[in-house]
Amino acid sequence: MAATIRDVARASGVHVSTVSRTFSAPHLVNAETRNRVLAVAEDLGYRPNRAARALTTGRTHNIGLIVADISNPFFPPLIKAAQAHARTRDYHVFVADTDEDPQVEEELIQTLTKQVDGVLLCSPRLSNRVIERLHADVPFVVVNRRIKGMPTILMDVAQGARLAIEHLTGLGHRRLALAAGPSGSWTSGQMREAASAAAAASGAELVILGPNAPTEQGGLAVAAEVVASGATGVLTYNDLVAIGLIEGLYERGVRVPDDVSVVGVDDTLSGRLNRPKLTTVAMPTSAAGRIAVDLLLQSVGDGRTSTLTTLETRLVVRESTGEARS
């Protein structure tokens, strides 16, 4: 017969409730006791019945994680960090991709609400009003969107945009362009405001090009507008747009960084492998994934919080930027 929770408690010399807490809330159990219970459970081949535990505790021990586009290399490090950290808290993560579609995002949230204890919304495309309505049914933590009264993690893209513009103007570029992101992106709006202010403070001119798809195709498509604008320095919505833009500029006989300097955002592997290697704003995606899980489980366990966590970004200078031609 399969070992039961009572068998584990008897062999460990603890109460049944302690065994239950070891699996459902391990952070509440003394480390020595927890390790003893886990060792006994392993020896006996005991595995907790998650469905039964959900009925008694009201917790599924599942988390939903919804991203705008899983093929975007910005998201995988965040997903992996969130999954790994959730496992240490005895939680499983269901990952869903909205394909940049707000309607799909809303449908996924409504579906997951019945199966999870909370949802991590990463770079959502829904309006604040819709997110606030859906939040009434399930705890949320929002990554890269600030919504009043909701637990939020922001990667300081505004700081990153300022650093990028200051880098370009420091190289002598006076006519700049921002290849903006999709129209529903809160991050793109933050970049626009910060880049405009930084350009004005440096006495440079900034033209906004977009909205653009947050993909290499989006970068290819905006290349003609960059050339027509006369900009010699460009900040893009993300690394994918930057890589596509560089390709589009080369197709038009424009060299990077000899003729035009390009800065991406995210510091993805694709940017590091690109030629020229991409100057970019590094985003702390792995840290955001871990902190998001902690905030969500705090919200699930202790009631909903409105904690705002802002993570610093930094500029990584590589080969795609250089001095403006005189």
Side-chain angles (χ1 to χ4, degrees), residues 268-284:
T268 59
L269 178 61
S270 53
R272 296 193 289 274
L273 296 177
N274 193 64
R275 293 296 181 270
K277 294 181 180 180
L278 192 62
T279 294
T280 186
V281 176
M283 305 286 272

PDB file of all heavy atoms in Angstrom, residues 268-284:
ATOM      1  N   THR A 268      19.485  40.741 -24.675  1.00  0.00           N
ATOM      2  CA  THR A 268      19.188  39.338 -24.948  1.00  0.00           C
ATOM      3  C   THR A 268      20.390  38.670 -25.618  1.00  0.00           C
ATOM      4  O   THR A 268      21.293  39.327 -26.141  1.00  0.00           O
ATOM      5  CB  THR A 268      17.972  39.217 -25.876  1.00  0.00           C
ATOM      6  OG1 THR A 268      18.256  39.920 -27.105  1.00  0.00           O
ATOM      7  CG2 THR A 268      16.734  39.813 -25.227  1.00  0.00           C
ATOM      8  N   LEU A 269      20.369  37.338 -25.625  1.00  0.00           N
ATOM      9  CA  LEU A 269      21.434  36.579 -26.254  1.00  0.00           C
ATOM     10  C   LEU A 269      21.556  36.932 -27.732  1.00  0.00           C
ATOM     11  O   LEU A 269      22.668  37.025 -28.269  1.00  0.00           O
ATOM     12  CB  LEU A 269      21.178  35.075 -26.090  1.00  0.00           C
ATOM     13  CG  LEU A 269      22.190  34.131 -26.749  1.00  0.00           C
ATOM     14  CD1 LEU A 269      23.580  34.336 -26.160  1.00  0.00           C
ATOM     15  CD2 LEU A 269      21.736  32.680 -26.579  1.00  0.00           C
ATOM     16  N   SER A 270      20.438  37.126 -28.402  1.00  0.00           N
ATOM     17  CA  SER A 270      20.475  37.446 -29.834  1.00  0.00           C
ATOM     18  C   SER A 270      21.221  38.749 -30.083  1.00  0.00           C
ATOM     19  O   SER A 270      21.935  38.883 -31.080  1.00  0.00           O
ATOM     20  CB  SER A 270      19.050  37.523 -30.396  1.00  0.00           C
ATOM     21  OG  SER A 270      18.251  38.407 -29.630  1.00  0.00           O
ATOM     22  N   GLY A 271      21.091  39.711 -29.181  1.00  0.00           N
ATOM     23  CA  GLY A 271      21.818  40.967 -29.326  1.00  0.00           C
ATOM     24  C   GLY A 271      23.311  40.793 -29.128  1.00  0.00           C
ATOM     25  O   GLY A 271      24.121  41.449 -29.791  1.00  0.00           O
ATOM     26  N   ARG A 272      23.682  39.884 -28.233  1.00  0.00           N
ATOM     27  CA  ARG A 272      25.103  39.645 -27.981  1.00  0.00           C
ATOM     28  C   ARG A 272      25.755  38.875 -29.127  1.00  0.00           C
ATOM     29  O   ARG A 272      26.953  38.995 -29.363  1.00  0.00           O
ATOM     30  CB  ARG A 272      25.283  38.883 -26.660  1.00  0.00           C
ATOM     31  CG  ARG A 272      24.809  39.685 -25.451  1.00  0.00           C
ATOM     32  CD  ARG A 272      25.280  39.057 -24.148  1.00  0.00           C
ATOM     33  NE  ARG A 272      24.608  37.811 -23.830  1.00  0.00           N
ATOM     34  CZ  ARG A 272      23.443  37.732 -23.176  1.00  0.00           C
ATOM     35  NH1 ARG A 272      22.821  38.852 -22.809  1.00  0.00           N
ATOM     36  NH2 ARG A 272      22.901  36.564 -22.893  1.00  0.00           N
ATOM     37  N   LEU A 273      24.953  38.070 -29.845  1.00  0.00           N
ATOM     38  CA  LEU A 273      25.475  37.295 -30.963  1.00  0.00           C
ATOM     39  C   LEU A 273      25.422  38.056 -32.289  1.00  0.00           C
ATOM     40  O   LEU A 273      26.045  37.656 -33.264  1.00  0.00           O
ATOM     41  CB  LEU A 273      24.680  35.986 -31.104  1.00  0.00           C
ATOM     42  CG  LEU A 273      24.781  35.003 -29.933  1.00  0.00           C
ATOM     43  CD1 LEU A 273      23.883  33.799 -30.182  1.00  0.00           C
ATOM     44  CD2 LEU A 273      26.217  34.561 -29.710  1.00  0.00           C
ATOM     45  N   ASN A 274      24.644  39.117 -32.332  1.00  0.00           N
ATOM     46  CA  ASN A 274      24.507  39.900 -33.560  1.00  0.00           C
ATOM     47  C   ASN A 274      25.844  40.520 -33.947  1.00  0.00           C
ATOM     48  O   ASN A 274      26.725  40.726 -33.122  1.00  0.00           O
ATOM     49  CB  ASN A 274      23.458  40.993 -33.340  1.00  0.00           C
ATOM     50  CG  ASN A 274      23.025  41.652 -34.622  1.00  0.00           C
ATOM     51  OD1 ASN A 274      22.446  41.005 -35.494  1.00  0.00           O
ATOM     52  ND2 ASN A 274      23.304  42.947 -34.759  1.00  0.00           N
ATOM     53  N   ARG A 275      25.986  40.842 -35.240  1.00  0.00           N
ATOM     54  CA  ARG A 275      27.139  41.598 -35.702  1.00  0.00           C
ATOM     55  C   ARG A 275      26.650  42.841 -36.419  1.00  0.00           C
ATOM     56  O   ARG A 275      25.921  42.713 -37.394  1.00  0.00           O
ATOM     57  CB  ARG A 275      28.017  40.757 -36.638  1.00  0.00           C
ATOM     58  CG  ARG A 275      28.693  39.605 -35.932  1.00  0.00           C
ATOM     59  CD  ARG A 275      29.699  40.125 -34.862  1.00  0.00           C
ATOM     60  NE  ARG A 275      30.383  39.019 -34.186  1.00  0.00           N
ATOM     61  CZ  ARG A 275      29.948  38.419 -33.094  1.00  0.00           C
ATOM     62  NH1 ARG A 275      28.796  38.804 -32.545  1.00  0.00           N
ATOM     63  NH2 ARG A 275      30.623  37.441 -32.530  1.00  0.00           N
ATOM     64  N   PRO A 276      26.987  44.032 -35.953  1.00  0.00           N
ATOM     65  CA  PRO A 276      27.824  44.294 -34.782  1.00  0.00           C
ATOM     66  C   PRO A 276      27.090  43.916 -33.486  1.00  0.00           C
ATOM     67  O   PRO A 276      25.863  43.942 -33.438  1.00  0.00           O
ATOM     68  CB  PRO A 276      28.056  45.809 -34.850  1.00  0.00           C
ATOM     69  CG  PRO A 276      26.856  46.339 -35.565  1.00  0.00           C
ATOM     70  CD  PRO A 276      26.490  45.290 -36.575  1.00  0.00           C
ATOM     71  N   LYS A 277      27.879  43.566 -32.458  1.00  0.00           N
ATOM     72  CA  LYS A 277      27.273  43.267 -31.162  1.00  0.00           C
ATOM     73  C   LYS A 277      26.515  44.491 -30.672  1.00  0.00           C
ATOM     74  O   LYS A 277      26.993  45.619 -30.776  1.00  0.00           O
ATOM     75  CB  LYS A 277      28.349  42.868 -30.157  1.00  0.00           C
ATOM     76  CG  LYS A 277      29.040  41.554 -30.483  1.00  0.00           C
ATOM     77  CD  LYS A 277      30.083  41.194 -29.438  1.00  0.00           C
ATOM     78  CE  LYS A 277      30.763  39.873 -29.788  1.00  0.00           C
ATOM     79  NZ  LYS A 277      31.794  39.497 -28.787  1.00  0.00           N
ATOM     80  N   LEU A 278      25.353  44.244 -30.101  1.00  0.00           N
ATOM     81  CA  LEU A 278      24.398  45.320 -29.854  1.00  0.00           C
ATOM     82  C   LEU A 278      24.655  46.058 -28.541  1.00  0.00           C
ATOM     83  O   LEU A 278      24.742  45.444 -27.474  1.00  0.00           O
ATOM     84  CB  LEU A 278      22.984  44.735 -29.842  1.00  0.00           C
ATOM     85  CG  LEU A 278      21.817  45.707 -29.891  1.00  0.00           C
ATOM     86  CD1 LEU A 278      21.840  46.520 -31.175  1.00  0.00           C
ATOM     87  CD2 LEU A 278      20.494  44.940 -29.790  1.00  0.00           C
ATOM     88  N   THR A 279      24.780  47.374 -28.635  1.00  0.00           N
ATOM     89  CA  THR A 279      24.700  48.213 -27.441  1.00  0.00           C
ATOM     90  C   THR A 279      23.249  48.203 -26.984  1.00  0.00           C
ATOM     91  O   THR A 279      22.333  48.379 -27.793  1.00  0.00           O
ATOM     92  CB  THR A 279      25.153  49.653 -27.751  1.00  0.00           C
ATOM     93  OG1 THR A 279      26.546  49.645 -28.079  1.00  0.00           O
ATOM     94  CG2 THR A 279      24.931  50.567 -26.557  1.00  0.00           C
ATOM     95  N   THR A 280      23.018  48.007 -25.691  1.00  0.00           N
ATOM     96  CA  THR A 280      21.653  47.770 -25.243  1.00  0.00           C
ATOM     97  C   THR A 280      21.465  48.154 -23.782  1.00  0.00           C
ATOM     98  O   THR A 280      22.444  48.340 -23.045  1.00  0.00           O
ATOM     99  CB  THR A 280      21.292  46.277 -25.445  1.00  0.00           C
ATOM    100  OG1 THR A 280      19.916  46.052 -25.142  1.00  0.00           O
ATOM    101  CG2 THR A 280      22.142  45.388 -24.555  1.00  0.00           C
ATOM    102  N   VAL A 281      20.214  48.279 -23.389  1.00  0.00           N
ATOM    103  CA  VAL A 281      19.853  48.505 -21.991  1.00  0.00           C
ATOM    104  C   VAL A 281      19.521  47.153 -21.373  1.00  0.00           C
ATOM    105  O   VAL A 281      18.585  46.472 -21.806  1.00  0.00           O
ATOM    106  CB  VAL A 281      18.649  49.464 -21.871  1.00  0.00           C
ATOM    107  CG1 VAL A 281      18.230  49.606 -20.408  1.00  0.00           C
ATOM    108  CG2 VAL A 281      18.981  50.826 -22.476  1.00  0.00           C
ATOM    109  N   ALA A 282      20.306  46.740 -20.381  1.00  0.00           N
ATOM    110  CA  ALA A 282      20.108  45.439 -19.737  1.00  0.00           C
ATOM    111  C   ALA A 282      18.939  45.513 -18.757  1.00  0.00           C
ATOM    112  O   ALA A 282      18.880  46.411 -17.913  1.00  0.00           O
ATOM    113  CB  ALA A 282      21.376  45.018 -19.005  1.00  0.00           C
ATOM    114  N   MET A 283      18.034  44.549 -18.876  1.00  0.00           N
ATOM    115  CA  MET A 283      16.848  44.482 -18.020  1.00  0.00           C
ATOM    116  C   MET A 283      16.991  43.299 -17.053  1.00  0.00           C
ATOM    117  O   MET A 283      17.334  42.185 -17.474  1.00  0.00           O
ATOM    118  CB  MET A 283      15.598  44.302 -18.863  1.00  0.00           C
ATOM    119  CG  MET A 283      15.427  45.357 -19.939  1.00  0.00           C
ATOM    120  SD  MET A 283      14.920  46.942 -19.254  1.00  0.00           S
ATOM    121  CE  MET A 283      13.145  46.706 -19.274  1.00  0.00           C
ATOM    122  N   PRO A 284      16.718  43.500 -15.758  1.00  0.00           N
ATOM    123  CA  PRO A 284      16.884  42.423 -14.762  1.00  0.00           C
ATOM    124  C   PRO A 284      15.711  41.449 -14.770  1.00  0.00           C
ATOM    125  O   PRO A 284      14.949  41.346 -13.802  1.00  0.00           O
ATOM    126  CB  PRO A 284      16.982  43.204 -13.448  1.00  0.00           C
ATOM    127  CG  PRO A 284      16.147  44.424 -13.678  1.00  0.00           C
ATOM    128  CD  PRO A 284      16.325  44.776 -15.135  1.00  0.00           C
TER     129      PRO A 284
END
